[in-house]
Amino acid sequence: MPQKRQGFTTMVDLAEFEKTTWAFLVNIKMTWQYDGMAYLFREAGIPLYGVDRGTTKMNHPIAAMAIPMSKDKNYGVDIYVPADRKKKAASLIEDEEKLARAAELEAEVGGEAHARFNEEATEKKASYLEMKKERRRARRGAIFTKLRSLGGSAS
């Protein structure tokens, strides 16, 4: 059974995303950390996959009314990278000052990079969906062929 993707990724090709083995890198709680990582990883050609762990109020919607804002714990975002590039990614984010400078650069050029990513991802998504349709058709055809052969031998 395929895993349900619940996060976000900077990988353009979803078929490649499904084949990739992701390794946990770090949990971050500040948006500037993500901005810095996004910039550094984009420059190094390392895709990332993030899963938002939410807050106490988000994770407990019924009890949220009773939880005061001061007790609302942020669980952050888990960041994953391809397993074969984990060492490189870890070395890129070691220096917090470098990460902060990269976050400032991301604020300047991030919009353009995000627009390019959206264009590329939209193009790739169409071909990915077509590939999934073909796989489904092939699977259905194989099932029907098997059913016909079973029905033919019972006659």
Side-chain angles (χ1 to χ4, degrees):
M1 186 163 137
Q3 280 188 332
K4 182 180 176 188
R5 288 192 306 270
Q6 298 179 9
F8 57 91
T9 184
T10 60
M11 187 176 278
V12 175
D13 189 3
L14 291 174
E16 186 180 337
F17 177 87
E18 289 177 347
K19 295 175 190 171
T20 303
T21 303
W22 296 94
F24 176 77
L25 179 64
V26 69
N27 178 280
I28 57 174
K29 291 185 171 68
M30 307 297 283
T31 55
W32 68 267
Q33 291 172 308
Y34 173 77
D35 291 342
M37 289 171 73
Y39 182 83
L40 292 172
F41 289 4
R42 187 171 54 247
E43 294 294 310
I46 301 172
L48 64 84
Y49 173 50
V51 178
D52 188 2
R53 294 294 170 205
T55 66
T56 307
K57 284 186 174 276
M58 286 171 59
N59 294 332
H60 304 284
I62 295 173
M65 292 181 279
I67 300 171
M69 289 303 288
S70 60
K71 302 290 184 190
D72 191 18
K73 182 173 166 54
N74 177 10
Y75 297 110
V77 177
D78 289 344
I79 300 294
Y80 297 85
V81 293
D84 58 342
R85 300 187 203 167
K86 184 178 177 180
K87 244 183 216 177
K88 174 73 172 159
S91 69
L92 286 173
I93 62 169
E94 276 179 352
D95 185 9
E96 199 167 298
E97 289 177 23
K98 182 180 175 183
L99 196 60
R101 285 193 305 274
E104 292 169 4
L105 291 171
E106 178 68 10
E108 294 172 15
V109 299
E112 296 168 17
H114 187 69
R116 278 195 313 271
F117 170 80
N118 281 339
E119 287 175 23
E120 271 185 75
T122 303
E123 289 172 15
K124 292 277 186 175
K125 187 175 182 180
S127 64
Y128 172 76
L129 291 174
E130 190 58 38
M131 179 194 67
K132 276 182 77 172
K133 279 183 193 175
E134 289 301 319
R135 271 195 312 212
R136 269 188 241 122
R137 283 186 195 127
R139 248 184 287 153
R140 271 190 223 123
I143 290 170
F144 287 136
T145 304
K146 189 171 186 174
L147 288 173
R148 282 187 195 123
S149 70
L150 289 174
S153 62
S155 304

